[in-house]
């Protein structure tokens, strides 16, 4: 590219001569200084100016002054033209910035040579400047994009513009510290250094400034504006620039926060690992996969676990770990590891070890295999912890869950699991359950206390344990029930013989000889039976076995099964009846009680009857006990009282003011706190007088709470209600307290009346009972009178009343009233006997 040269001269001839000489250049001309300045502005890329100093309007000196003023973007070399007799102008021109001069007349060759020299020098200068610019740009790029922070003359104190040049700080330095260059200059690095690192940093810095050290490196923390801390690796070096001290030290900062955090995490991990291993209830290990389990690493917990030190086990120096494993687990453990490694699964197994003292410990080993790139096992790693205490607790809890706390015998839960296991295995041998149910254990509990019952059952369990054998196991099901699980018996006769052999053991146990025991026998021939059904059925058999005597046994058979089904149906019917007061399934029949002296009816006993479409007529002996069992006797009893009030109202409407109605009251009803209130409410609701009722209770009601019951009876008597003891002589009898009972009438049980048929009058004690009752102030009713000879005996022994088929069976309300009319005649005001045997006005 041709050089661009401006020739400025007021002589056109000179301009042409110089132009022709510089023909290979791009030539621009100007006739004076003003025009020259315009061309310079228009051509900022001029390479050279040839300038005549002697020109009109604006001379060359003025042009040089303008060029030197800095108004133009870059320096343009100028060769001035002077006259030969003007050396002072030459000097002045050079002082104003000219690079050379040529005297007129101009020697064109000399001018050409000088122009070429200065053009070449300008070209070289441009090259140097371009290279310098590139270097500066490259250095600036490195400075700006460096991955480490760079600071030149960034001091510990805030920047002082009067004393120092501004420091150079790159963007990474700003990023690491979280502050701009202006903030850093305002603060200085001391104010952003963590207090714990500042003293050390200042000490190094002072030593470097004093020349003791050429530089220093350290790890330090900077505090960012948000209060967070960044770790940095700082390197500071002293800089020596020849001929200049503008920047005399260099700071390099690298962010090492991630590394420091990793180091901290590693240290924490190592600390945690150390704490874990020191507190591990066992040991950590690394071993080879061989039959000796050769240890390569063992933690310090080895000693407390095994009694051997880690040095004893490492490389099998004293013994191998395999020799510590209890013998019965060695092969099992090897096979388990082999299986786990083939699956590449985590290993977990419990086994026993033999410690240095010879004792045994349960341990839990958890580990995994270490494989190389070929999939080969190179080692095993894991932990082995002591679980002896846990195993002991498991054993104790398992014992508690499987044994009854009273006797230590296996309990129902264990029996259930045993039966379930045998069912699943499908055992072909005969199996049976023989259950012993102690009678009236609750009565013993109330009389003697719970601890006494516990001792009785413990004594009985000890006696029955002698019957345990390989095919007989004894279980404690509930407080009052024990059971034998018998396997491999021959036939029913063997079960019956075994049951009979148990009775002596029961009767020899204190008080149980009087209380008694029922034994139920259930052959388990249906493997699908569940435990609840088995226990329910065998319990039913035991209950029925004890009904006819103190001791007895019974098989659960088809007949009993039918009975159970019937009882279930009766219970369902009772539930329905109790919930529907309009239901006619419950009714009353009335049996007259006759005065023996006069033959007149004095009382009717209300006898409950149950009838349904499904069951037909159900005897009271069937449904009353079930109603008591379901605790439905209370609502049913109240309904019977209401029905009785209706019958009394009919009697009164017929004019029979002196006839009472006798109603049986269950012990459950009598024991209820609100029975007296319920009775009073029904009387008030129906407009019935209390004196119209006689409440019959059995002797058993006094067995548990004599004083409480007797006080209640007194309240009924104070209302005017008569009280009778039913079935006298067969239940709870205490002659010492008989006089204290708040009762009016004793009803002699039919048992004593039936005896009159087999005994002579002299042998029979029925008359003695009548005499005794009179002496105690009670009237007497004889139940179950069916023959005339019985009636005559009662009359001769001054019995007050009789009741039985000899006079009448139970009757419907209508038939009862008709019989009353026939027997007593029209209604009158006949006085009723008082409780001492006389008569009282009603």
């Amino acid at each position: 590219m041709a050089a661009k040269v401006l020739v400025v001269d007021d002589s056109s001839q000179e301009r042409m001569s110089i132009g022709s000489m510089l023909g290979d250049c791009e030539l621009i001309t100007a006739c004076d200084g003003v025009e020259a300045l315009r061309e310079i502005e228009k051509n900022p890329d001029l390479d050279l100016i040839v300038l005549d100093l002697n020109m009109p309007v604006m001379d060359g000196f003025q042009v040089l002054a303008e060029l030197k003023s800095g108004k133009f973007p870059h320096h343009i070399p100028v060769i001035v033209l002077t006259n030969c007799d003007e050396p002072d102008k030459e000097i002045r021109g050079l002082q104003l910035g000219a690079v050379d001069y040529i005297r007129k007349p101009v020697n064109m060759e000399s001018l050409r040579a000088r122009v070429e020299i200065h053009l070449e020098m300008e070209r070289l200068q441009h090259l140097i400047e371009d290279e310098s610019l590139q270097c500066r740009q490259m250095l600036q790029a490195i400075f700006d994009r460096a991955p480490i922070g760079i600071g030149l003359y960034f001091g510990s104190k805030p920047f002082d513009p009067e004393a120092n040049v501004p420091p150079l700080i790159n963007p990474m330095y700003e990023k690491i510290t979280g502050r701009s260059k202006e903030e850093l200059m305002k603060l200085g690095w001391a104010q952003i250094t963590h207090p714990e690192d500042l003293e050390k940093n200042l000490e190094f810095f002072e030593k470097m400034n004093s020349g003791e050290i050429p530089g220093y490196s350290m790890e330090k923390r900077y505090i960012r504006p948000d209060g967070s801390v960044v770790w940095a690796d700082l390197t500071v070096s002293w800089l020596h620039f020849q001929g200049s001290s503008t920047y005399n030290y260099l700071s390099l900062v690298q962010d090492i926060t991630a590394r420091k955090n990793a180091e901290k995490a590693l240290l924490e991990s190592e600390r945690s690992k150390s704490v874990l291993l020191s507190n591990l209830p066992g040991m950590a290990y690394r071993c080879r996969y061989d039959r000796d389990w050769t240890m390569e690493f063992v933690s310090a917990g080895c000693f407390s676990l095994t009694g051997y030190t880690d040095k004893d086990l490492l490389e099998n120096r004293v013994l191998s770990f395999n020799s510590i494993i209890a013998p019965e687990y060695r092969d099992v453990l090897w096979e388990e590891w082999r299986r786990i490694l083939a699956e590449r699964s985590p290993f977990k197994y419990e086994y026993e070890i033999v410690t240095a003292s010879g004792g045994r410990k349960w341990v839990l080993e958890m580990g995994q295999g270490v494989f190389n790139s070929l999939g080969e096992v190179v080692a095993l790693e894991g932990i082995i912890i002591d679980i002896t205490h846990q195993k002991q607790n498991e054993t104790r809890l398992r014992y508690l869950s499987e044994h009854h706390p009273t006797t230590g015998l296996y309990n129902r839960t264990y029996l259930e699991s045993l039966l379930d296991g045998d069912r699943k295995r499908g055992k072909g041998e005969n199996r049976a359950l023989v259950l012993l149910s102690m009678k009236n254990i609750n009565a013993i509990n109330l009389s003697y206390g719970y601890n006494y019952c516990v001792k009785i059952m413990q004594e009985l369990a000890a006696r029955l344990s002698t019957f345990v054998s390989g095919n007989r196991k004894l279980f404690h099901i509930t407080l009052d029930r024990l059971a034998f699980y018998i396997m491999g018996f021959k036939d029913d006769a063997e079960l019956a013989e075994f049951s009979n052999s148990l009775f002596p053991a029961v009767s020899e146990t204190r008080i149980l000889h009087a209380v008694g025991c029922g034994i139920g026998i259930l052959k388990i021939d249906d493997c699908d039976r569940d435990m609840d059904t088995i226990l329910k059925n065998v319990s039913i058999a035991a209950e029925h076995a004890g009904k006819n005597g103190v001791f007895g046994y019974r098989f659960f058979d088809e007949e009993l099964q039918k009975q159970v089904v019937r009882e279930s149906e009766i219970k369902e019917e009772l539930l329905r009846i109790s919930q529907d007061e309009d239901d006619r399934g419950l009714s009353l029949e009335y049996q007259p009680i006759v005065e023996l002296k006069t033959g007149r009816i004095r009382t009717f006993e209300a006898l409950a009857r149950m009838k349904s479409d499904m069951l037909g007529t159900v005897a009271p002996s069937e449904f009353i006990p079930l109603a008591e069992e379901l605790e439905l006797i209370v609502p049913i009893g109240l309904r019977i009282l209401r029905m009785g009030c209706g019958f009394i109202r009919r009697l009164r409407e017929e004019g029979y003011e002196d006839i009472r109605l006798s109603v049986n009251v269950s012990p459950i009803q009598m024991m209820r706190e609100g029975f007296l209130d319920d009775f009073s409410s029904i009387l008030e609701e129906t407009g019935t007088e209390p004196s119209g009722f006689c409440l019959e209770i059995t002797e058993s009601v006094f067995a548990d709470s004599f004083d409480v019951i007797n006080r209640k009876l007194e309240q009924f008597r104070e209302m005017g209600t008569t009280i009778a003891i039913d079935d006298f002589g067969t239940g709870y009898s205490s002659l010492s307290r008989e006089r204290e009972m708040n009762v009016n009438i004793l009803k002699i049980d039919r048992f004593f009346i039936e005896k009159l048929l087999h005994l002579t009058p002299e042998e029979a004690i029925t008359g003695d009972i009548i005499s005794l009752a009179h002496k105690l102030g009670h009237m007497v009713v004889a139940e179950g009178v069916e023959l005339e000879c019985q009636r005559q005996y009662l009359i001769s022994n001054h019995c007050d009343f009789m009741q039985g088929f000899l006079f009448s069976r139970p009757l419907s309300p209508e038939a009862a009233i008709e019989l009353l009319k026939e027997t007593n005649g029209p209604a009158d005001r006949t006085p009723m006997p008082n409780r001492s045997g006389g008569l009282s006005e009603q």
Side-chain angles (χ1 to χ4, degrees), residues 47 224 451 823:
D47 294 309
R224 287 177 168 170
N451 289 334
T823 304

Side-chain angles (χ1 to χ4, degrees), residues 92-111:
R92 184 182 173 194
L94 292 173
Q95 289 175 341
L96 287 173
V99 296
D100 204 351
Y101 61 91
I102 292 182
R103 294 173 181 174
K104 289 183 178 182
V106 177
N107 184 323
M108 292 301 172
E109 290 298 326
S110 175
L111 177 61

Side-chain angles (χ1 to χ4, degrees), residues 697 699 702 724-728 738 741 743 745-747:
I697 59 175
E699 292 175 286
F702 291 98
I725 293 182
D726 195 16
D727 302 329
F728 179 75
E738 198 75 34
M741 292 182 183
V743 298
I745 300 170
L746 298 183
K747 297 186 73 173

Side-chain angles (χ1 to χ4, degrees), residues 534-567:
I534 289 173
L535 282 178
K536 181 187 74 173
N537 291 342
V538 76
S539 297
I540 291 170
E543 289 174 8
H544 283 80
K547 285 184 177 180
N548 299 324
V550 178
F551 295 101
Y553 68 84
R554 177 159 181 178
F555 283 86
F556 185 83
D557 51 21
E558 186 176 349
E559 179 185 347
L560 190 55
Q561 177 69 43
K562 290 179 180 178
Q563 185 174 341
V564 170
V565 171
R566 179 169 172 80
E567 288 179 355

Side-chain angles (χ1 to χ4, degrees), residues 15 26 505 613 734:
R15 292 196 302 271
E26 182 182 347
D613 296 336
S734 175

Side-chain angles (χ1 to χ4, degrees), residues 284-352:
Y285 71 88
R286 179 186 173 96
C287 72
R288 292 196 283 274
Y289 180 43
D290 57 31
R291 289 304 294 254
D292 287 329
W293 311 111
T294 303
M295 293 294 168
E296 297 177 349
F297 164 78
V298 180
S299 68
C302 173
F303 182 76
S304 60
L305 179 67
T306 67
Y308 299 100
T309 66
D310 54 345
K311 295 180 180 178
D312 293 336
L313 292 176
L314 288 175
E315 300 298 335
N316 305 328
R317 291 173 187 168
V318 177
L319 75 167
S320 68
F321 187 78
N322 190 59
S323 63
I324 296 176
I325 300 171
E328 64 268 28
Y329 293 99
R330 292 172 186 171
D331 290 338
V332 177
L333 202 60
W334 176 261
E335 292 300 324
E336 183 65 12
W337 261 114
R338 186 166 65 175
R339 182 184 68 83
I340 288 297
L341 290 172
E343 298 174 357
R344 293 205 175 193
S345 302
F347 179 83
K348 187 176 182 180
Y349 201 79
E350 296 176 1
Y351 57 91
E352 288 182 283

